[in-house]
Amino acid sequence: MNRNIIKDLKISDLAFGGNGVGRTEDGLVIFVPYTIPGEVIDVELVKKHKSYAEGRIVEIKKSSDKRIKPKCKYFGECGGCQYQHIEYIDELKYKQSQLNDVLQRIGKLPQEALDKINAIIASENCYNYRNKLTLQPIIQTKDLTEYGFFSSDNSELIEIKECPLAMEGINKLLPKISLTKWGQDNSFRRIPSKCIIRETYDKTVKYFFGRIPKKIPWLTEQLMGKEISLPPGSFFQVNPSVAEKVYKKVISWIDESETVVDAYCGIGIYSLLLPPMQNVFSIDNDKKAIKAAYHNSMQFGLDNRSFFVEQAEKALPEIFKENQPNSLCIILNPPREGCNHKLIFSITKALPKKVIIVSCNASTLARDLKKLLKTKKYEISEISIFDMFPRTAHFETAVVLNRIG
């Protein structure tokens, strides 16, 4: 008998990240992907840690009545999705619970702060919502390089010819991407580059391999009724309809009398959407994104905006020196690894009036909130959760903290 096989493990919960949680009679916690609470499975242990183990399904002994057939033929093999085996309404419930758990367990947020979490905002579409795919090259023995995603265990690359999360124009191009002239040229590189495909609001599809060719023009997107321009490689939310809901919520938290500092600003969305008379500082280390932010601001006659090509943690202390903290609202929209610790330190030292964090990673958000709340100078006024990434383990969270006193 295989000692790594655990019989009749009952799944009791879905953890942040999408894995089902089971516990053996001797107390070992086992995380198993593609399971649903209430199911009973035989599981093979694939990796053991000090306090828990990871497993894979060998057999589902008792299946949940909530289990559905995945829409994607690569589901379970490709590592992109975690929730195609459950109804979307149930996915939303689990994500809501996961945010509460992560903020309590990692962030040590008190119950009065957790009570400020709003009901999750669903995506209008749980499929065909992504406007961007980044595909990895798979080296073939033939002349053409195919493209795909990492497998669920990150051990290999899975060739992908369609993705139900992506917009229709992207899916039409996907099977042909390696046959295009650029695709053929990429195949003959010593090390083929990854492929990025973008679809805009008007159904225009652009793609490139590795570095963006200079001849590719900027993209045009529409946001809250405004047309904006951006470089193909600069950050833009992958689910535009949900992104609009995030922007509207954040803007509702900002007073017109406040000076806004938009750290990690990307193409400067808030500088475009906030009232024309509002004083806005936008910071990002992406030179092309800041160029687009300035261009769009000029297009809309917003000549009172200020833009900085700089690391946020370096630019913020200088802004604090020149502006009264009582009038400052700081917007932080960091990458998945969260805010730089120097940036958090400068905020806790200057104590601006308001801090808003928009995060795609609940665990690093919880860590950063813990540092800010440790000062006992801030309190959480509201927490909103948005399902920016349906059928995956990820979601977007926005939190507003107001200074006490």
Side-chain angles (χ1 to χ4, degrees):
M1 180 178 174
N2 189 337
R3 295 179 64 182
N4 284 329
I5 299 293
I6 305 295
K7 294 282 190 177
D8 300 324
L9 180 73
K10 184 174 182 178
I11 302 300
S12 59
D13 199 1
L14 275 186
F16 175 60
N19 291 335
V21 183
R23 189 183 296 271
T24 64
E25 291 183 359
D26 59 0
L28 176 65
V29 174
I30 306 176
F31 293 97
V32 190
Y34 314 120
T35 55
I36 303 174
E39 291 188 325
V40 178
I41 64 171
D42 288 350
V43 58
E44 179 184 11
L45 302 184
V46 295
K47 189 177 291 187
K48 294 181 181 179
H49 304 268
K50 187 174 181 180
S51 58
Y52 67 95
E54 300 173 45
R56 68 170 185 86
I57 298 172
V58 174
E59 181 183 354
I60 299 177
K61 294 287 192 65
K62 178 186 174 183
S63 180
S64 169
D65 57 6
K66 295 183 179 295
R67 181 174 285 275
I68 62 173
K69 183 179 179 180
K71 187 171 182 176
C72 181
K73 64 183 179 182
Y74 304 110
F75 181 70
E77 184 181 10
C78 166
C81 292
Q82 290 75 38
Y83 290 132
Q84 287 195 34
H85 61 303
I86 64 176
E87 296 283 1
Y88 184 49
I89 191 170
D90 293 311
E91 175 186 342
L92 294 172
K93 292 175 183 176
Y94 289 124
K95 287 181 173 179
Q96 180 98 32
S97 175
Q98 289 162 7
L99 176 63
N100 189 299
D101 173 70
V102 169
L103 293 182
Q104 184 179 48
R105 179 169 44 84
I106 298 176
K108 307 301 180 185
L109 267 64
Q111 188 58 49
E112 56 264 30
L114 298 174
D115 290 341
K116 304 290 178 62
I117 301 176
N118 295 326
I120 188 169
I121 303 298
S123 177
E124 294 173 12
N125 302 301
C126 60
Y127 292 105
N128 301 123
Y129 65 86
R130 283 193 69 99
N131 60 18
K132 178 182 178 181
L133 288 186
T134 301
L135 299 123
Q136 304 298 325
I138 303 172
I139 309 302
Q140 306 284 347
T141 55
K142 55 186 181 181
D143 290 338
L144 292 179
T145 296
E146 299 296 348
Y147 300 88
F149 297 136
F150 284 103
S151 61
S152 55
D153 62 359
N154 288 317
S155 64
E156 59 180 327
L157 288 164
I158 308 298
E159 185 178 333
I160 299 293
K161 292 296 185 182
E162 61 180 318
C163 175
L165 301 193
M167 291 180 174
E168 292 180 3
I170 293 176
N171 274 308
K172 287 180 182 178
L173 179 62
L174 256 179
K176 311 170 189 175
I177 201 73
S178 60
L179 301 174
T180 63
K181 178 164 188 319
W182 283 1
Q184 292 173 344
D185 290 346
N186 192 51
S187 296
F188 286 104
R189 291 177 177 172
R190 187 175 65 85
I191 302 177
S193 300
K194 64 185 177 182
C195 175
I196 296 176
I197 312 177
R198 277 280 278 110
E199 181 170 344
T200 59
Y201 84 100
D202 61 357
K203 308 301 180 185
T204 298
V205 180
K206 301 285 186 182
Y207 69 98
F208 55 91
F209 299 87
R211 287 190 176 184
I212 307 167
K214 291 182 179 180
K215 61 183 176 181
I216 291 186
W218 281 12
L219 305 177
T220 300
E221 285 288 359
Q222 191 175 71
L223 196 63
M224 293 170 67
K226 295 183 176 182
E227 278 199 354
I228 58 175
S229 301
L230 67 151
S234 291
F235 175 78
F236 190 76
Q237 291 285 11
V238 298
N239 190 337
S241 65
V242 176
E244 285 200 0
K245 295 179 173 65
V246 176
Y247 296 134
K248 287 178 181 177
K249 173 57 72 174
V250 169
I251 289 170
S252 75
W253 289 337
I254 300 171
D255 299 330
E256 288 191 22
S257 62
E258 293 170 342
T259 295
V260 176
V261 182
D262 184 10
Y264 309 100
C265 73
I267 60 170
I269 296 297
Y270 292 108
S271 70
L272 299 177
L273 300 181
L274 286 165
M277 298 306 294
Q278 193 136 24
N279 195 16
V280 182
F281 295 92
S282 298
I283 308 165
D284 204 284
N285 64 350
D286 182 343
K287 191 173 183 178
K288 289 182 179 179
I290 290 293
K291 183 178 179 180
Y294 178 78
H295 168 81
N296 288 313
S297 292
M298 293 301 100
Q299 290 290 103
F300 291 108
L302 302 170
D303 55 4
N304 63 333
R305 306 314 202 212
S306 301
F307 301 97
F308 301 85
V309 181
E310 184 60 274
Q311 298 284 350
E313 59 271 19
K314 292 181 180 179
L316 212 53
E318 294 302 315
I319 292 175
F320 287 153
K321 287 179 184 178
E322 298 174 5
N323 293 270
Q324 290 295 323
N326 288 340
S327 65
L328 288 179
C329 170
I330 313 300
I331 302 175
L332 305 174
N333 192 353
R336 290 192 57 77
E337 56 265 28
C339 296
N340 182 283
H341 72 278
K342 292 180 180 178
L343 181 145
I344 294 292
F345 175 76
S346 67
I347 290 175
T348 59
K349 186 177 179 181
L351 296 176
K353 175 186 174 183
K354 186 179 293 176
V355 180
I356 297 171
I357 307 180
V358 181
S359 172
C360 62
N361 186 339
S363 58
T364 55
L365 169 66
R367 178 203 68 198
D368 294 339
L369 287 174
K370 183 179 180 181
K371 293 176 182 177
L372 290 170
L373 294 175
K374 191 176 181 180
T375 64
K376 299 190 183 301
K377 298 294 185 179
Y378 287 100
E379 62 181 3
I380 291 175
S381 298
E382 190 175 349
I383 303 173
S384 289
I385 172 174
F386 304 84
D387 194 25
M388 185 78 75
F389 316 98
R391 313 323 258 152
T392 80
H394 309 295
F395 48 84
E396 198 89 354
T397 309
V399 184
V400 55
L401 301 98
N402 287 303
R403 194 182 65 197
I404 301 170

